[in-house]
Amino acid sequence: METPSPSRRRLLLVLGAFVLPAVLAVGSVLFFYGLLPASVPSGDFPFHYNGYAHVLRNVKPDGDVDFSAIGRDRQELDTFVRSLATFSPRSRPDLFPKPEDALAYWLNAYHALVLQSLVDEYPYLESVHDKAFGHFFWGRSWPVGGQRLTLWALEHRILDREYADPRIHLALFHGTRGGPLLDGAPFDPSFLDSQLNDAARRFVGDRRHVRLEKDTVHLAQVFDTYREDFLAALPEGRRSTVLQFVWAFLPDTCTERYGCDTRSDLDRVCGTKLDKCQLVFEPEDRALPDAAARDVRAVTP
């Protein structure tokens, strides 16, 4: 066998030093953006949300989640997640003919994948932001209808890019107590518009997210992060402030939530154009919405 000459060995080393990192970098980018292909298992069973609906019975009325209960009996969650590999609006568009069918699918898929990730690391993970550089959202991928998707890719490449509906920002559960909370039922294509409205009202009606103090309105950070999305959804002539979007989902009265802020409160303090108030954007409570009282060990297993 011929031994490579010293000059050839140097050339191979130089090529390896440049080519291998480039290949790894490209692969990392494809992984991050959910652009890597995945096999599509045969689907000899119907796609439905029944098992996932049973999982959501562990969501309390206040939005906290009994992660321990899901972990003790996680078969239905794992079965639903496995079904995503076969069925999606990309691999089986015949099953999702309307935009509402597809959007409900992606919302439910995102929440199921977040839940599975949280249950996998419970009770050692106290916050999804414990992971450095947002690793919780891009460090893992799942096969979904022929592609390997990270949570980041599903949210930003599919939900944000393909659906211009800012209510999604107020409905998408990221595993934090201060963000949008889970509902106790899956998103249903037949009632999706009502469910998104309810999610927006629930978010806006929470004083942690919208709070009026004198002439200052304290808003959740999401209204600043996605300000342009909220403004774009408003009619012409009302795009001067994100408070116009908030106003649309505030209650008329506080009969259900004592001490809440109402539309008339906002009008009275901020003016009919909602331009007289100062806005302060508040940081999000990043703790897990954990329904169980527990002591988290300081070390990982």
Side-chain angles (χ1 to χ4, degrees), residues 54 82 86-87 99 111 205 223 301:
H54 291 161
R82 283 195 298 271
T86 300
F87 302 99
H111 287 168
F223 289 112

Side-chain angles (χ1 to χ4, degrees), residues 87-292:
F87 302 99
S88 89
R90 305 286 173 81
S91 62
R92 291 293 304 273
D94 56 305
L95 298 179
F96 308 94
K98 299 178 182 178
E100 296 83 2
D101 298 318
L103 179 53
Y105 171 92
W106 293 121
L107 290 169
N108 289 326
Y110 186 90
H111 287 168
L113 298 180
V114 168
L115 281 175
Q116 189 183 67
S117 293
L118 291 174
V119 169
D120 283 348
E121 301 200 42
Y122 187 86
Y124 304 100
L125 184 70
E126 294 185 287
S127 169
V128 296
H129 294 279
D130 287 348
K131 300 286 188 178
F133 308 110
H135 187 265
F136 179 87
F137 297 99
W138 58 261
R140 177 180 179 182
S141 69
W142 293 261
V144 181
Q147 52 192 336
R148 294 203 66 89
L149 291 179
T150 62
L151 290 171
W152 189 97
L154 202 164
E155 177 179 1
H156 296 288
R157 191 167 65 81
I158 296 177
L159 285 169
D160 286 357
R161 187 175 298 178
E162 298 183 11
Y163 300 94
D165 191 333
R167 295 176 298 176
I168 292 173
H169 301 312
L170 308 183
L172 203 62
F173 174 66
H174 296 101
T176 65
R177 175 164 278 127
L181 297 174
L182 278 174
D183 194 10
F187 288 98
D188 187 323
S190 300
F191 309 105
L192 185 59
D193 189 62
S194 296
Q195 287 179 304
L196 288 173
N197 281 336
D198 288 343
R201 292 190 189 99
R202 185 167 59 247
F203 189 89
V204 168
D206 190 327
R207 286 182 60 80
R208 293 174 298 179
H209 305 146
V210 178
R211 186 176 76 258
L212 183 60
E213 291 184 354
K214 296 183 179 180
D215 63 347
T216 299
V217 183
H218 297 262
L219 295 177
Q221 187 65 42
V222 67
F223 289 112
D224 189 36
T225 303
Y226 296 104
R227 184 195 300 257
E228 294 306 315
D229 292 349
F230 291 113
L231 294 178
L234 295 169
E236 289 287 346
R238 295 196 176 186
R239 295 178 180 174
S240 59
T241 173
V242 72
L243 284 179
Q244 294 284 1
F245 188 93
V246 171
W247 183 92
F249 291 98
L250 279 173
D252 290 319
T253 65
C254 286
T255 53
E256 294 183 3
R257 293 185 297 274
Y258 177 76
C260 72
D261 294 312
T262 65
R263 292 177 178 177
S264 59
D265 292 330
L266 213 60
D267 288 337
R268 174 175 48 81
V269 177
C270 301
T272 55
K273 295 183 179 180
L274 303 180
D275 58 351
K276 296 181 180 180
C277 281
Q278 177 184 358
L279 300 184
V280 174
F281 297 99
E282 300 289 350
E284 179 181 304
D285 178 357
R286 294 181 168 186
L288 287 184
D290 186 3

Side-chain angles (χ1 to χ4, degrees), residues 26-28 30-38 141 146-149 157:
V26 170
S28 298
L30 294 176
F31 177 90
F32 183 90
Y33 283 95
L35 297 174
L36 293 175
S141 69
Q147 52 192 336
R148 294 203 66 89
L149 291 179
R157 191 167 65 81

